[in-house]
């Protein structure tokens, strides 16, 4: 009898140990994923479950392909935002980079078309050069202000955002720049190469290049070092001012690329393009595990973060959620991601 009682107690102890072991294992896995990738995997899983339950159109190949195509522009901007965030700053002027690029490239191409109307690629090249020049100016202003004059990234990029928006409105008078050559939109907005949309090819190329830069080059190592501890990076011989300047220039160039492709998509120069992209790109990065303290962030996670933001917007559109409620939800996701980021910093 005593043997049976002891056997039952042993079985209970073994079962209790197994339960504790499984709980500890789940907890370790949870915190490992949380410390590595932030809240993104959990947000992504919840969003897929919720939207799939309420819409049978959500989890279809056609809809997911549409989401991937729409996320191209936010992905480009988020990659640039990631670089700046890793250095310990952020860029609120990415929307202005898109708007200025749209207005300047459109104006330049219309002027070029009036001089040599039959030279299609020369006209487009003029637009590309105007886009690059616009981005260089904006990125240089931000970079010099933050690195040389040590202006707060918030104040500097907010000021440049206001200047750029006013300049774009001054040039156009608030009226869209129309009359672009049809080939521009047909190639860069709706064109395909080997069956793949041209904007998607641009995004894939940017992802590959910046993954290599951030993971396999000295520049990437320096960017992480500046964000991790700028004083230590400076003492180790890294030209921190140069790295900060280059980071803001790269951010503006990527936003400008998105602006150029968006201009081709809408086939006109618009001053309101990219109005909400600053918030969306920061949200995509923070949700993807990029730390607001700098020094932490992965290219592949940011790409998935941009996809998540567009996927959530797509899901809410399918559920016919109003635009105002979408803004509330996006802001709430950003706040939650920042709160969880603070906890992740404590656990890491």
């Amino acid at each position: 009898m005593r043997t049976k009682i002891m056997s039952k107690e042993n079985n209970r102890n073994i079962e209790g140990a197994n339960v504790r072991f499984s709980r500890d294992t789940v907890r370790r896995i949870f915190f490992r994923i949380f410390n590595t990738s932030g809240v993104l995997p959990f947000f992504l899983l919840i969003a897929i479950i919720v939207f799939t339950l309420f819409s049978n159109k959500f989890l279809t190949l056609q809809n997911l392909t549409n989401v991937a195509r729409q996320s191209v522009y936010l992905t480009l901007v988020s990659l640039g935002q990631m670089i700046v965030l890793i250095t310990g700053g952020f860029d609120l002027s990415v929307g202005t980079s898109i708007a200025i690029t749209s207005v300047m490239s459109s104006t330049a191409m219309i002027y070029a078309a009036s001089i040599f109307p039959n030279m299609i690629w020369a006209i487009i090249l003029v637009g590309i050069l105007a886009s690059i020049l616009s981005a260089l100016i904006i990125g240089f202003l931000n970079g010099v202000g933050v690195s040389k004059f040590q202006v707060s990234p918030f104040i500097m990029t907010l000021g440049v955002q206001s200047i750029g928006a006013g300049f774009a409105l001054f040039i156009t008078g608030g009226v869209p720049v129309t009359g672009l050559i049809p080939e521009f939109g047909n190639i860069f907005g709706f064109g395909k190469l080997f069956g793949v949309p041209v904007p998607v090819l641009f995004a894939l190329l940017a992802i590959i290049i910046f993954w290599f830069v951030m993971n396999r080059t000295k520049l990437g190592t320096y960017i992480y070092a500046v964000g991790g501890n700028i004083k230590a990076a400076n003492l180790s011989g890294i030209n921190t001012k140069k790295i900060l300047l280059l980071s803001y220039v790269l951010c503006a160039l990527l936003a400008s690329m998105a602006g150029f492709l968006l201009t081709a998509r809408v086939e006109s120069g618009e001053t309101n393009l990219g109005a909400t992209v600053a918030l969306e790109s920061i949200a995509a990065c923070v949700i993807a595990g990029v730390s607001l303290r700098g020094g932490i962030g992965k290219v592949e996670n940011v790409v998935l973060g941009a996809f998540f933001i567009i996927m959530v917007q797509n899901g809410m559109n399918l559920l016919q959620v109003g635009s105002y409620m979408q803004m509330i939800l996006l802001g709430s996701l950003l706040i939650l991601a920042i709160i969880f980021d603070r906890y992740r910093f404590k656990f890491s």
Side-chain angles (χ1 to χ4, degrees):
M1 187 71 177
R2 184 179 298 175
T3 305
K4 290 182 179 179
I5 293 172
M6 292 178 63
S7 178
K8 289 180 180 179
E9 289 179 353
N10 289 335
N11 289 335
R12 289 195 195 100
N13 291 334
I14 292 171
E15 289 175 0
N18 288 334
V19 170
R20 286 193 297 273
F21 175 76
S22 61
R23 286 177 180 174
D24 291 341
T25 303
V26 171
R27 191 179 292 111
R28 282 197 299 269
I29 293 173
F30 173 83
F31 282 116
R32 186 179 301 170
I33 296 173
F34 182 58
N35 291 334
T36 304
S37 304
V39 296
L40 177 58
F42 309 103
F43 278 9
L44 193 60
L45 181 62
I46 293 170
I48 290 174
I49 293 173
V50 170
F51 291 131
T52 302
L53 288 175
F54 287 96
S55 175
N56 55 5
K57 297 180 181 179
F58 176 74
L59 205 62
T60 61
L61 180 61
Q62 182 180 358
N63 186 58
L64 293 178
T65 302
N66 183 43
V67 171
R69 188 182 295 114
Q70 291 177 352
S71 67
V72 162
Y73 314 104
L74 181 58
T75 297
L76 290 171
V77 180
S78 299
L79 286 174
Q81 191 74 255
M82 178 200 73
I83 295 172
V84 175
L85 284 170
I86 288 175
T87 64
F90 50 85
D91 192 347
L92 298 177
S93 67
V94 286
T96 289
S97 297
I98 291 176
I100 287 287
T101 294
S102 182
V103 169
M104 294 302 293
S105 62
S106 300
T107 304
M109 282 189 285
I110 290 173
Y111 178 74
S114 66
I115 299 176
F116 33 87
N118 298 322
M119 302 176 66
I120 303 301
W121 282 106
I123 295 170
I124 294 175
L125 180 60
V126 169
I128 292 173
L129 292 175
S131 300
I132 294 173
L133 180 61
S134 302
L136 289 175
I137 292 172
I138 292 174
F140 185 79
L141 286 174
N142 284 329
V144 168
V146 172
S147 63
K148 184 174 178 60
F149 297 103
Q150 298 181 345
V151 181
S152 163
F154 176 82
I155 297 299
M156 190 66 217
T157 58
L158 184 64
V160 170
Q161 186 272 337
S162 179
I163 293 170
F167 182 70
L169 289 169
F170 175 76
I171 291 176
T172 63
V175 179
V177 181
T178 57
L180 298 174
I181 56 174
E183 291 82 0
F184 173 57
N186 293 338
I187 296 171
F188 291 94
F190 306 96
K192 291 184 178 181
L193 187 63
F194 305 113
V196 182
V198 170
V200 174
L201 290 175
F202 272 90
L204 289 174
L205 183 63
I207 291 168
I208 293 170
I209 290 173
F210 279 91
W211 182 90
F212 182 80
V213 168
M214 297 303 292
N215 294 281
R216 294 290 186 269
T217 66
K218 286 184 178 180
L219 175 59
T221 303
Y222 292 166
I223 289 173
Y224 281 111
V226 169
N229 190 327
I230 191 169
K231 291 182 178 179
N234 199 27
L235 290 172
S236 65
I238 298 174
N239 189 338
T240 55
K241 291 183 178 180
K242 181 180 178 181
I243 296 299
L244 286 172
L245 174 61
L246 188 57
S247 298
Y248 282 93
V249 169
L250 288 174
C251 182
L253 282 171
L254 283 164
S256 179
M257 184 187 296
F260 187 77
L261 295 173
L262 276 170
T263 302
R265 185 80 176 176
V266 300
E267 298 184 290
S268 62
E270 304 280 348
T271 57
N272 60 353
L273 281 181
T276 61
V277 76
L279 174 63
E280 291 171 353
S281 62
I282 293 173
C285 289
V286 174
I287 289 171
V290 180
S291 177
L292 293 176
R293 297 170 185 81
I296 300 174
K298 294 181 179 180
V299 170
E300 56 271 26
N301 289 353
V302 169
V303 173
L304 193 58
F307 179 84
F308 168 77
I309 295 294
I310 300 300
M311 186 190 74
V312 168
Q313 293 175 345
N314 172 266
M316 289 191 292
N317 287 334
L318 289 175
L319 298 181
Q320 298 182 343
V321 177
S323 59
Y324 300 144
M325 286 301 299
Q326 292 190 26
M327 292 171 63
I328 292 172
L329 180 59
L330 181 60
S332 301
L333 286 175
L334 177 59
I335 293 170
L336 281 174
I338 293 173
I339 293 172
F340 283 124
D341 178 65
R342 289 187 177 275
Y343 280 101
R344 185 163 69 103
F345 180 72
K346 291 180 181 179
F347 291 137
S348 59

